[in-house]
Amino acid sequence: MVTSPAARDARPHAGRPAAADPLEEAGLPTGGVAQRLGVSPTTVRSWERRYGLGPAHRESGHHRRWSPQDIAVLETMCRLTARGVPPNEAARAALADRTAADRTGTSGPTPPDQVTGLQDGARRGPGPGGSRALRVGTVRPECRGLARAAVRLDAPEVVAILRDAVEELGVIDAWTEVIMPALRAAGRKWAADGEQYVEVEHLLSWNVSSVLRGVAVGTAATRPVPPVLLAAAPVELHSLPLEATAAALTERGLPFRMLGAAVPPRALLDAVQRIGPRAVMIWSQDRHTADLELLGRAAASVWGPRGSRGGAVVVAAGPGWVRARLPAGTAGPRTLADAVDLLEQTVTG
């Protein structure tokens, strides 16, 4: 068979290794590494200066070039600080991983609970941010880590942080102290910078929804009480707060029926008649979606045979409702905790 010169040149010659990957040969500059990790170049330089996380090999007089092994160390640093591990301990673990990889030819990040010096119950401080970091303010380390992971579009880490937060804090505290501050920060970035941060907000919202739904459809035993009916106002597209409510009800063993976003009035009222709930929660995020007439009609709905007719307490949840104008037979809790407490008292009382 005749082989062309180009094909012969493309074949590795006997005794000579195949051409190396360009990144293996040249490495990435600091700016490229920072962009890949979703942090600022200043953060990368700070990690190198403070914790010795610089390139393993650097030629005198040349700019820093980061090999895949060097970048793996920084990725470990990002993962650990995202989980709330203090930066100095995360750096020690990242360097230990590189040393172990050099000895064994394998690699893998150290789990946060195995980092040297981090005892059970120890306070986990926040890690460094970056110019692309979401401004979440004074929040729990888990929230700061969630925001960093979302900016990096690190979906597996986002899910891990969310699951840990729900398991350790419970749905209500996880929603209030971890999820909501991160969602608000993503929303502010989106509003301020246009389309640049849409991907961050969408990735975060989708994974929040996935984790909450996983809790809500779990196999927890439910108490023998009528289900709570959950729905958004007719043109309301926000449904994450409803999903958080459903997950919190599941934690308490309370059944629910979820209708989701933008439920038309006729569909909602028909569901009330068919299910016969003791409590109906209607969510409104903005004033223009709040339908006071629908609230009144839902509160006035009755069902059952004459002499034993029943009705529901209607819970108007969300910032869209003007509480001073709520019709009779409705309630307007201000927080998720208040809403879930009210729903529980209503269906079990």
Side-chain angles (χ1 to χ4, degrees), residues 78 81-84 123-130 133-152 161 177-179 181-182 185:
C78 284
T81 55
R83 302 297 293 276
R123 189 178 187 275
R124 295 174 172 177
L134 299 178
R135 295 181 180 275
V136 292
T138 303
V139 293
R140 296 181 64 96
E142 296 93 333
C143 178
R144 201 171 298 279
L146 179 62
R148 289 197 191 97
V151 168
R152 296 198 310 272
I161 293 172
E177 300 179 23
V178 178
I179 297 172

Side-chain angles (χ1 to χ4, degrees), residues 165-187:
V166 169
E167 181 177 350
E168 295 173 9
L169 303 176
V171 169
I172 291 176
D173 286 347
W175 173 262
T176 304
E177 300 179 23
V178 178
I179 297 172
M180 276 304 300
L183 287 171
R184 290 194 185 105

Side-chain angles (χ1 to χ4, degrees), residues 242-312:
L242 291 174
E243 294 170 16
T245 303
L249 291 173
T250 299
E251 276 190 337
R252 301 189 183 191
L254 299 173
F256 67 90
R257 299 291 183 270
M258 171 69 77
L259 301 186
V263 181
R266 182 176 178 180
L268 175 59
L269 295 173
D270 182 60
V272 170
Q273 291 290 325
R274 291 161 62 186
I275 295 174
R278 290 183 185 170
V280 178
M281 178 170 144
I282 304 177
W283 177 266
S284 171
Q285 182 75 21
D286 300 304
R287 294 287 177 87
H288 76 277
T289 69
D291 189 337
L292 290 172
E293 181 183 355
L294 176 60
L295 279 185
R297 294 174 66 186
S301 296
V302 294
W303 53 85
R306 184 173 300 178
S308 60
R309 292 187 178 275

Side-chain angles (χ1 to χ4, degrees), residues 221-223 225-228 246 248-256 340 343-345 347-348:
T222 56
R223 290 183 265 179
V225 295
V228 175
L249 291 173
T250 299
E251 276 190 337
R252 301 189 183 191
L254 299 173
F256 67 90
V340 174
L343 293 172
E344 181 176 24
Q345 294 166 7
V347 300
T348 60

